[in-house]
Amino acid sequence: MKLLEPWKLALIALGIVLFMALVIGLLVYFLLFDKEIYFYNAAFTFTNIPYGPDLEKQTSKQFRDLSTGIETLVTRTFRDSSLDKKYIRSHVVKMRPDGSNGPRVVAEVVLMFHFASRDNIAALSERVKSLLFRQVQTTMGYLATDPSTFTLSETKKENGEHMLNNCCGMRTSKLPAYTDRVTGGTSAQDGAWPWQASLQLRGSHRCGATLISNTWLVTAAHCFRGQRDPSQWTASFGTVIQPPKSLRYIHNIIIHEQYADNPSNHNNDIALVQLSSPVEFTSEIRKVCLPEASQVFPHNTSCFVTGWGALEDNGECVNNLQQAEVRIIKTDICNREEVYNGVITPGMVCAGYLEGKVDACQGDSGGPLVTADTRQMWYLVGIVSWGDECAKKNKPGVYTRVTYYRDWIATKTGI
Ligand code: ARG
């Protein structure tokens, strides 16, 4: 038996390696990158849900409960089917009355799928439709629907995105890793916290702020201490301060009437900022959801605080937005002698850790403290207000409690 010459062996080995690399490369491409998001618009008419104007408000309990029911059901429909791997999510974007047959409730839902270019889109669309149609014909759990009015249509990517961009509290779908290390945080990805704004005095970052509509920001009153002239201020959007995704002048600053402008006071630390012209919502600029005044965020709720503030006490502001996970601390605990010894009022909420290490810091003021509900929509719980230095033991961050000022916000902005 004659062995192959070494150079021939080497050539064959090289050939095999190259071939494998090609196969793996193609596999990775087709499995991971050759995918497009497809949007569908569905409308369900319910026959057993009483219509009320609260149903038209995305953040009302009625809207949230009904949407949760619908989304869960739609998700289950696809999870139990051959489309499981291609289904991304569904989202109720609107409820409206259907006048023709007494006030019945129509829910408009956006559905998202990942299809590959080699997929037969027409056949898949048919499958989506027939699965949903079977669902409305049989039952939708406790929801009684009228199958004759069920509609489903494919919609352009721009339309689908537009509808999601206009919803409150939606982050961009490519979710960042929640590795939490503000102080003890991590850099945020683009679109991760699209409601975050930077308030700048003559072009330099002073405070964070949160978009609650396309023209209104909510922030802390103390940001404007001695600087109440709107013409000196601008707001920027996007995860980096320089260069910003968008920039706006300020038309008006409304400071809470009971806010007393002296450095030792932290009560009523809330202000509203009206932009000179509306921002355009994109995947990276969106509004947060405002909770109803009656909403309760329990002790230990996981929240995120974001901002361009210092990474340590007396540190410098940063260019890339930072995020940190903190937990709500109940006022009884926060008012303990060794913590803040009774100075926490009903308009404040504490969040962080008694052991310290993770916290907001100087330059984060005015920025958002948010938490997600079960639908993964993000609500504004607090506004960064004050703290004894940053991330110190027994000195958690103190935030303006948004539910406490919810009616004040509505009075001033109509939101
Ligand atoms: N007052 C500070 C500011 O103007 C924010 C303080 C927040 N401090 C804290 N430890 N959480 O930016």
Side-chain angles (χ1 to χ4, degrees):
M1 191 176 99
K2 191 170 172 283
L3 283 174
L4 281 176
E5 286 166 55
W7 68 270
K8 281 188 183 158
L9 270 176
L11 214 64
I12 292 170
L14 188 71
I16 293 174
V17 168
L18 282 177
F19 179 74
M20 297 290 282
L22 187 73
V23 169
I24 292 172
L26 283 174
L27 269 177
V28 166
Y29 173 76
F30 279 114
L31 292 179
L32 294 181
F33 297 110
D34 183 35
K35 279 180 182 167
E36 274 274 13
I37 297 185
Y38 282 77
F39 288 90
Y40 294 85
N41 240 329
F44 301 93
T45 306
F46 297 100
T47 52
N48 67 340
I49 309 282
Y51 174 78
D54 272 351
L55 265 178
E56 283 180 63
K57 249 189 113 194
Q58 293 221 4
T59 50
S60 72
K61 182 161 169 20
Q62 290 89 331
F63 188 111
R64 282 150 44 96
D65 289 349
L66 184 52
S67 304
T68 306
I70 298 168
E71 287 161 6
T72 309
L73 211 90
V74 171
T75 297
R76 200 180 316 138
T77 307
F78 292 108
R79 288 279 168 258
D80 294 344
S81 81
S82 57
L83 291 179
D84 176 27
K85 291 272 178 333
K86 299 182 188 291
Y87 171 77
I88 304 171
R89 69 180 287 186
S90 56
H91 195 76
V92 178
V93 291
K94 199 176 164 186
M95 307 263 194
R96 56 182 164 82
D98 162 30
S100 63
N101 237 322
R104 300 192 304 182
V105 178
V106 183
E108 292 180 14
V109 187
V110 172
L111 295 105
M112 280 182 274
F113 292 85
H114 255 148
F115 293 155
S117 60
R118 65 184 184 287
D119 283 337
N120 178 345
I121 307 296
L124 286 170
S125 290
E126 270 315 305
R127 184 109 185 91
V128 170
K129 191 164 193 164
S130 68
L131 280 168
L132 276 180
F133 195 63
R134 209 165 62 205
Q135 184 66 254
V136 289
Q137 272 180 321
T138 50
T139 167
M140 296 216 12
Y142 63 96
L143 303 166
T145 56
D146 177 354
S148 68
T149 56
F150 167 71
T151 61
L152 180 89
S153 55
E154 203 182 314
T155 181
K156 281 214 219 66
K157 203 171 172 214
E158 300 89 76
N159 291 341
E161 281 171 354
H162 181 77
M163 279 185 279
L164 296 179
N165 287 344
N166 280 291
C167 291
C168 69
M170 297 273 287
R171 305 176 68 181
T172 306
S173 22
K174 31 177 189 355
L175 283 176
Y178 285 129
T179 45
D180 50 292
R181 165 194 56 95
V182 207
T183 303
T186 47
S187 281
Q189 293 189 8
D190 285 341
W193 312 103
W195 39 82
Q196 172 88 49
S198 154
L199 274 179
Q200 304 176 358
L201 180 65
R202 293 184 284 276
S204 91
H205 172 85
R206 279 306 154 96
C207 268
T210 309
L211 265 181
I212 56 170
S213 80
N214 61 1
T215 41
W216 286 98
L217 295 168
V218 61
T219 186
H222 80 258
C223 295
F224 303 106
R225 206 170 271 154
Q227 303 284 352
R228 292 185 172 211
D229 177 4
S231 73
Q232 302 297 302
W233 291 88
T234 50
S236 85
F237 303 90
T239 42
V240 295
I241 291 187
Q242 221 39 268
K245 283 273 173 312
S246 190
L247 202 69
R248 286 290 180 279
Y249 292 106
I250 304 304
H251 175 67
N252 193 14
I253 298 169
I254 302 174
I255 291 167
H256 195 281
E257 296 80 358
Q258 269 98 52
Y259 175 73
D261 203 346
N262 73 63
S264 62
N265 168 69
H266 302 295
N267 279 315
N268 308 305
D269 192 6
I270 184 169
L272 290 159
V273 171
Q274 189 176 24
L275 304 175
S276 59
S277 63
V279 284
E280 195 189 326
F281 290 136
T282 66
S283 64
E284 292 174 44
I285 306 178
R286 294 175 182 174
K287 63 189 171 192
V288 77
C289 299
L290 284 176
E292 299 199 303
S294 58
Q295 221 157 305
V296 178
F297 299 102
H299 177 69
N300 223 18
T301 300
S302 159
C303 296
F304 275 82
V305 58
T306 49
W308 290 278
L311 301 181
E312 57 190 4
D313 198 40
N314 282 317
E316 305 238 316
C317 288
V318 296
N319 194 43
N320 208 307
L321 186 65
Q322 302 287 304
Q323 61 191 26
E325 188 182 8
V326 289
R327 289 180 179 275
I328 292 181
I329 298 170
K330 64 171 159 226
T331 303
D332 289 354
I333 296 180
C334 207
N335 263 334
R336 282 184 190 159
E337 197 180 332
E338 71 277 19
V339 189
Y340 284 119
N341 195 18
V343 300
I344 306 301
T345 58
M348 301 175 189
V349 54
C350 297
Y353 305 91
L354 292 182
E355 59 268 33
K357 300 212 172 35
V358 184
D359 194 6
C361 205
Q362 282 85 37
D364 290 323
S365 279
L369 174 75
V370 289
T371 191
D373 70 357
T374 52
R375 298 172 65 212
Q376 287 308 303
M377 298 184 73
W378 292 76
Y379 281 78
L380 188 64
V381 174
I383 301 164
V384 179
S385 178
W386 62 279
D388 181 352
E389 295 181 18
C390 306
K392 263 201 333 195
K393 183 168 185 276
N394 279 335
K395 304 294 166 189
V398 186
Y399 298 78
T400 309
R401 189 185 286 271
V402 172
T403 49
Y404 190 81
Y405 295 100
R406 183 64 188 88
D407 297 335
W408 179 80
I409 295 173
T411 313
K412 300 293 168 181
T413 64
I415 298 165

